Amino acid sequence: MARCATAQDERAGAGRATPPFHAITPFTMLDYPGRIACILWVAGCNMRCLYCHNPQIVAGKGTIGEEQALAFLRKRKGLLEGVVFSGGEATTWTGLAAFMARVKVLGYAIKLDTNGLRPDVIARLLEGDLLDRVALDYKAPLHKFRTVTGASVFARFARSLDLLCGQHRIPVEVRSTIHADLLGEEDILEMAHDLSRRGYRGTYALQRAVAGPDRPTLGDLPADTRPFDAVRLARLSPLELAVR
């Protein structure tokens, strides 16, 4: 698949060929279902989501190099089972596929957390059998996508969604972060119906945005205390919802 990069992609990846990682979370039992894992946080991102509370990762540069990360993983063999690549946005890193191949050699399962703006990279990772699980963030429906994410490339996300829904080798979870200032119940239902039309049959996960004075976001959002009707959403959604 041909590379389709934007200037924002180039800015996200520019100047950080090494070191690529902002940080390593050494242990998690929550981020990789069914596996004890660590998280490698890739610096840089091709979105500017208003509810993002990791601006230091999105706009910053990495401080941990590939060899340092691999040394960590070698020491944890037998203790950890999986590696989660998150960010930022891991697919903006040009060395991602090659590094994942090295992680695979160590015997780890790999999960990718992605915003889906690089369908070419996701296709390459699938073709190389480098992925064991994917979490895809559905940020907003088409008419709100640019407002929420700062990126006007919904079509590229949709290609990733179709690609992942069209394969059955690895499990995929689609999830949305919800803040009432940005998305309402009808937006949630619109995304759920879009997922169903594209063939997604998994659980659709909804998670509240973390925001407030002690958790600043890129969009300086207030804490979201307004409830949404989970019972109504469950009744009208064509997919099973998991509210977190």
Side-chain angles (χ1 to χ4, degrees):
M1 185 178 295
R3 187 176 189 276
C4 180
T6 67
Q8 194 172 38
D9 286 334
E10 297 302 332
R11 289 194 300 272
R16 64 146 174 84
T18 55
F21 302 110
H22 172 82
I24 298 175
T25 297
F27 178 84
T28 177
M29 296 184 68
L30 299 175
D31 294 87
Y32 196 139
R35 295 186 185 272
I36 301 171
C38 67
I39 308 173
L40 300 183
W41 299 91
V42 178
C45 190
N46 48 10
M47 284 186 176
R48 293 294 183 267
C49 299
L50 295 175
Y51 52 70
C52 178
H53 55 83
N54 290 320
Q56 71 280 11
I57 301 178
V58 167
K61 293 184 178 181
T63 59
I64 299 172
E66 295 180 49
E67 296 308 320
Q68 185 178 349
L70 286 169
F72 167 83
L73 294 175
R74 291 188 187 102
K75 290 180 181 178
R76 297 309 191 277
K77 286 183 65 175
L79 300 175
L80 299 176
E81 303 166 296
V83 178
V84 179
F85 285 81
S86 193
E89 174 53 41
T91 61
T92 64
W93 176 32
T94 57
L96 181 63
F99 186 82
M100 280 186 172
R102 300 177 73 184
V103 173
K104 276 289 187 181
V105 169
L106 295 177
Y108 287 102
I110 290 177
K111 173 176 176 269
L112 173 67
D113 293 347
T114 182
N115 61 26
L117 288 199
R118 292 300 304 273
D120 55 324
V121 174
I122 294 172
R124 193 178 310 135
L125 299 177
L126 289 171
E127 291 163 2
D129 292 326
L130 296 173
L131 299 177
D132 299 284
R133 189 178 187 93
V134 172
L136 179 66
D137 292 316
Y138 197 151
K139 303 288 189 176
L142 174 60
H143 69 284
K144 288 189 174 180
F145 197 79
R146 183 173 184 176
T147 298
V148 173
T149 69
S152 55
V153 283
F154 182 87
R156 291 169 63 188
F157 162 76
R159 288 200 296 273
S160 291
L161 180 56
D162 288 338
L163 176 65
L164 291 167
C165 289
Q167 61 80 44
H168 303 286
R169 187 180 67 81
I170 64 169
V172 175
E173 180 188 63
V174 179
R175 58 196 186 184
S176 293
T177 299
I178 308 301
H179 192 290
D181 284 3
L182 303 175
L183 298 174
E185 291 183 14
E186 298 312 311
D187 298 313
I188 296 171
L189 291 172
E190 181 178 344
M191 292 186 287
H193 281 280
D194 183 41
L195 287 169
S196 180
R197 287 191 297 268
R198 294 177 189 272
Y200 180 68
R201 296 295 178 262
T203 299
Y204 181 26
L206 305 176
Q207 52 198 25
R208 283 281 191 178
V210 179
D214 58 336
R215 294 299 298 270
T217 63
L218 282 175
D220 196 26
L221 294 174
D224 186 6
T225 59
R226 284 164 288 183
F228 55 81
D229 190 340
V231 174
R232 174 179 178 268
L233 289 174
R235 185 178 74 251
L236 297 178
S237 171
L239 301 172
E240 179 181 354
L241 303 179
V243 180
R244 297 170 179 168

